[in-house]
Amino acid sequence: MRRFFVPILAGGTLPDRLFACLGAVFGIALTGAISVWFLGDMGALPLLVAPMGAAAVLVFAVPASPLAQPWSVVGGNIVSALVGVTAARFVPVPHLAAGVAVGGAILAMSLLRCLHPPGGAAALTAVVGGPAVLAAGYGFALVPVGLNAVLLMLAGVAFHRLSGHSYPHRPGPAVPAPAESVPHPEDLDRALADLGETFDVSREDLDLLFQRMEHYAEERRARGG
């Protein structure tokens, strides 16, 4: 059974995945329940928006991801919804407005350092969500999108106190390693620039990973392994 989970996520285990499932149940159910209690009847406007499902995957399954951090969850969804509402209002062609909404959301999230994939869905929902969403205008970005995002993020903070994961994520402690063997931070920056790719892990975590690798490599060499 375990082998089916090996390719999913580096460092992930079957217990982690099962715990993430429980976290998603807890987070989405609590977000929906509090939203219903707080907002009451809002007519045709949804009380729990679909992008929260994607956000829950990040918050509970990959809490160390830069894309899953609190500012990304809250800021990414709200900013993207605002961009989506703006596109819906000022771009008269629906399918073009949808494209502008998602593209504009990526730009806005990138500039504000809150890149969050479900934000693209929030932006798109603001365009194609139907008459109730369009009628809500910019208020849609706050209620229900903003409220949902804040509640889900708080549920993630509470849940990960039990799961043992750091959320909001903070890199773990470094381990001693020979100074001459540890790559200089500038080397890491140059290597990332050479690859020309964006990785779903922070630069600090990569640096810590290399330090730990060298520490255990030194231990192995000391044992003659």
Side-chain angles (χ1 to χ4, degrees):
M1 181 70 174
R2 182 174 297 180
R3 66 186 177 87
F4 290 109
F5 289 83
V6 172
I8 290 179
L9 193 67
T13 64
L14 178 57
D16 279 340
R17 300 284 71 75
L18 295 177
F19 214 59
C21 296
L22 293 177
V25 172
F26 166 75
I28 292 296
L30 185 64
T31 299
I34 294 179
S35 295
V36 169
W37 171 78
F38 184 76
L39 298 175
D41 184 9
M42 295 187 66
L45 195 66
L47 297 176
L48 183 63
V49 291
M52 294 305 113
V57 175
L58 290 169
V59 170
F60 295 103
V62 283
S65 169
L67 306 177
Q69 300 315 296
W71 171 234
S72 295
V73 174
V74 177
N77 278 296
I78 293 176
V79 167
S80 297
L82 289 171
V83 172
V85 172
T86 301
R89 286 195 167 192
F90 294 103
V91 181
V93 182
H95 58 269
L96 180 57
V100 169
V102 176
I106 294 173
L107 175 61
M109 288 188 289
S110 298
L111 293 175
L112 293 173
R113 300 177 65 84
C114 57
L115 192 64
H116 184 62
L124 188 59
T125 302
V127 176
V128 303
V133 171
L134 294 176
Y138 289 105
F140 173 72
L142 299 179
V143 177
V145 173
L147 177 63
N148 285 176
V150 170
L151 291 173
L152 185 69
M153 179 271 294
L154 292 176
V157 172
F159 184 80
H160 285 303
R161 289 184 181 271
L162 300 175
S163 74
H165 292 111
S166 168
Y167 187 81
H169 178 66
R170 296 291 183 272
V175 295
E180 65 274 9
S181 301
V182 178
H184 191 279
E186 183 180 336
D187 299 333
L188 179 57
D189 289 336
R190 293 180 64 184
L192 289 171
D194 285 345
L195 291 173
E197 298 287 350
T198 300
F199 297 95
D200 191 11
V201 61
S202 71
R203 178 191 173 283
E204 292 75 16
D205 282 327
L206 279 174
D207 193 26
L208 179 60
L209 178 62
F210 293 143
Q211 290 183 37
R212 287 181 177 266
M213 286 174 59
E214 185 54 41
H215 169 75
Y216 291 117
E218 186 65 22
E219 282 190 348
R220 178 173 47 77
R221 287 191 289 266
R223 295 194 304 266

